[in-house]
Amino acid sequence: MKKIRVIVVDDSALMRKIISDMINSEDDMEVVDIAKNGQELLNKISNSTPQVITLDVEMPIMDGMTALKELKRSYKNIPVIMLSSISQKGTQLTMECLESGAFDFIPKPSGAISLDINKVKDELVQKIRIACDKNITSDAIKEGKPQMPMERTYQRNYISKLKNDKIESVVIGASTGGPKALYTVITALPANLGVPVFVVQHMPVGFTKAFADRLNANSDIKVVEASENMPVERNVVYIAPGGYHMEIGLDKKIHLNLEPAIWGVRPAVDKLFISASKVYGSRIVSAVLTGMGKDGAQGTVEIKKHGGITLSEDKSTCTIYGMPKAAFETGMVDAVLPLEEIAIQIIKLVSGGGR
């Protein structure tokens, strides 16, 4: 069996050893090289021909952010998984890395030197497998002719036939690849959109504040990390905090809870979508963006049952075509759109011009 070839980059010799041992313990992957900083990685990569790279965010000589930018110039098809400590600097740099093309990230549970990093072993090896599969798929697509899903034009035409209820809210869900996708969508929304926007991005505790702050700094519309009992206002984007389900109450306030994870995640897109459908009925637009799994599919069904408008991201622009596919396969999605058209369609629907 061919093994997935991985390079591990971390400035700590102990962390390189622990991470390498975790990867090598899997039958389908192997560490083919290690590096203690970004510069050493760039010096070694041509001889190691890795399929996936795990890259520490904070390192001396050349940090993960700088190394990632260099990698994307010459080795843009090699997926990179960032490993980040949950510090103010670490979380901010991680958000920049995701915007700059990192495939995903894994939090170090206890800081730069995490002796308990085995806690995230299952998540790490799963993401390595998915990143490798995605890379192979992307290369195969590039060699052939791009496929335009047949449902896209048909479903888009369907939107014009929907009833003219005024839209009062937008809900969006995303997972793997979501930070970059959401950056594309949110930064394209106007300051005076006219409705609140609620977002669930699968992200661990400690990172959503930095994510919201970065979106806010680069968007016309206001973006905040949601908190318990926060009143819902128009022209604000609310990001669900890591570790909490976010629901919209009939009192038009945000409510957070620690109920069990759904599909292995908390916050869950389904929790948000289902609660919002009960509050806004047919006056809502939902969008399911890139991500693995099927979170958001059940919520899409509920929104459609209440008469809302449902969108999903087209496979051609997804990092992972899992969640959007699951949503589409419910038969309840009104439009399948490439990422760059999601914000355009949201604006049209909210303004009444997309029906």
Side-chain angles (χ1 to χ4, degrees):
M1 176 179 66
K2 270 193 171 184
K3 295 188 176 185
I4 301 169
R5 299 167 60 84
V6 184
I7 288 184
V8 172
V9 188
D10 198 293
D11 61 312
S12 163
L14 178 59
M15 292 306 297
R16 291 196 298 273
K17 174 72 165 61
I18 296 174
I19 295 167
S20 295
D21 286 349
M22 289 194 307
I23 294 170
N24 286 328
S25 70
E26 299 297 305
D27 293 336
D28 60 340
M29 57 187 70
E30 64 179 339
V31 175
V32 295
D33 216 333
I34 56 175
K36 60 179 177 288
N37 57 59
Q39 188 58 62
E40 188 170 286
L41 165 66
L42 296 174
N43 293 339
K44 289 183 169 185
I45 189 170
S46 61
N47 294 325
S48 302
T49 59
Q51 292 170 283
V52 180
I53 297 169
T54 71
L55 182 59
D56 191 17
V57 172
E58 298 178 77
M59 297 178 292
I61 302 177
M62 182 184 287
D63 64 16
M65 180 74 237
T66 306
L68 177 67
K69 288 180 177 178
E70 290 297 321
L71 284 169
K72 290 304 169 184
R73 289 191 183 100
S74 303
Y75 303 95
K76 61 183 179 180
N77 289 331
I78 301 177
V80 178
I81 298 172
M82 310 302 298
L83 275 79
S84 173
S85 61
I86 307 175
S87 63
Q88 183 175 0
K89 181 181 178 183
T91 56
Q92 290 172 346
L93 285 172
T94 302
M95 294 306 108
E96 291 182 36
C97 289
L98 293 172
E99 288 171 25
S100 297
F103 177 78
D104 208 334
F105 77 98
I106 302 287
K108 290 183 174 181
S110 305
I113 308 297
S114 287
L115 300 180
D116 57 350
I117 198 165
N118 273 293
K119 289 179 179 178
V120 297
K121 177 189 173 182
D122 290 346
E123 184 180 1
L124 176 62
V125 297
Q126 180 189 38
K127 287 185 176 179
I128 288 172
R129 291 188 184 103
I130 292 169
C132 183
D133 288 344
K134 170 63 180 175
N135 195 37
I136 293 169
T137 302
S138 296
D139 290 343
I141 289 171
K142 287 173 184 175
E143 290 173 5
K145 294 182 179 180
Q147 299 293 313
M148 184 62 70
M150 292 177 63
E151 68 268 17
R152 179 180 158 196
T153 302
Y154 168 76
Q155 295 289 351
R156 182 185 296 169
N157 290 340
Y158 179 69
I159 283 184
S160 65
K161 300 174 184 177
L162 296 173
K163 57 187 176 181
N164 291 316
D165 289 342
K166 181 175 175 59
I167 297 302
E168 293 183 0
S169 74
V170 175
V171 289
I172 304 174
S175 186
T176 306
K180 190 172 183 179
L182 285 165
Y183 186 90
T184 298
V185 174
I186 301 303
T187 58
L189 299 178
N192 61 344
L193 179 65
V195 300
V197 179
F198 307 98
V199 175
V200 164
Q201 162 65 47
H202 295 163
M203 194 174 280
V205 176
F207 288 86
T208 44
K209 179 64 164 62
F211 181 49
D213 288 348
R214 187 149 185 86
L215 283 173
N216 186 57
N218 291 280
S219 303
D220 292 330
I221 194 168
K222 182 180 179 181
V223 184
V224 300
E225 182 187 50
S227 60
E228 174 63 17
N229 278 324
M230 184 177 277
V232 171
E233 299 177 359
R234 293 186 302 167
N235 304 319
V236 179
V237 178
Y238 300 92
I239 307 293
Y244 290 87
H245 290 308
M246 179 172 75
E247 296 182 296
I248 315 304
L250 294 173
D251 56 0
K252 294 292 180 74
K253 290 183 179 180
I254 289 174
H255 296 289
L256 308 177
N257 67 68
L258 292 171
E259 292 174 8
I262 300 176
W263 315 119
V265 294
R266 190 176 63 206
V269 179
D270 279 334
K271 277 279 193 182
L272 169 64
F273 281 21
I274 292 169
S275 70
S277 71
K278 295 174 183 176
V279 175
Y280 294 102
S282 62
R283 304 177 304 281
I284 189 171
V285 176
S286 69
V288 178
L289 307 183
T290 176
M292 57 186 173
K294 55 184 179 180
D295 189 19
Q298 183 182 352
T300 295
V301 170
E302 289 303 310
I303 285 176
K304 192 74 257 173
K305 283 182 179 177
H306 284 80
I309 298 174
T310 55
L311 313 175
S312 67
E313 184 180 352
D314 185 76
K315 181 179 180 179
S316 65
T317 58
C318 283
T319 300
I320 298 291
Y321 187 57
M323 285 167 48
K325 180 183 180 184
F328 177 75
E329 288 179 345
T330 66
M332 297 291 186
V333 170
D334 293 317
V336 176
L337 302 169
L339 181 64
E340 61 273 13
E341 293 185 25
I342 297 285
I344 296 170
Q345 189 64 65
I346 287 172
I347 295 166
K348 284 182 178 179
L349 289 167
V350 170
S351 66
R355 298 165 181 265

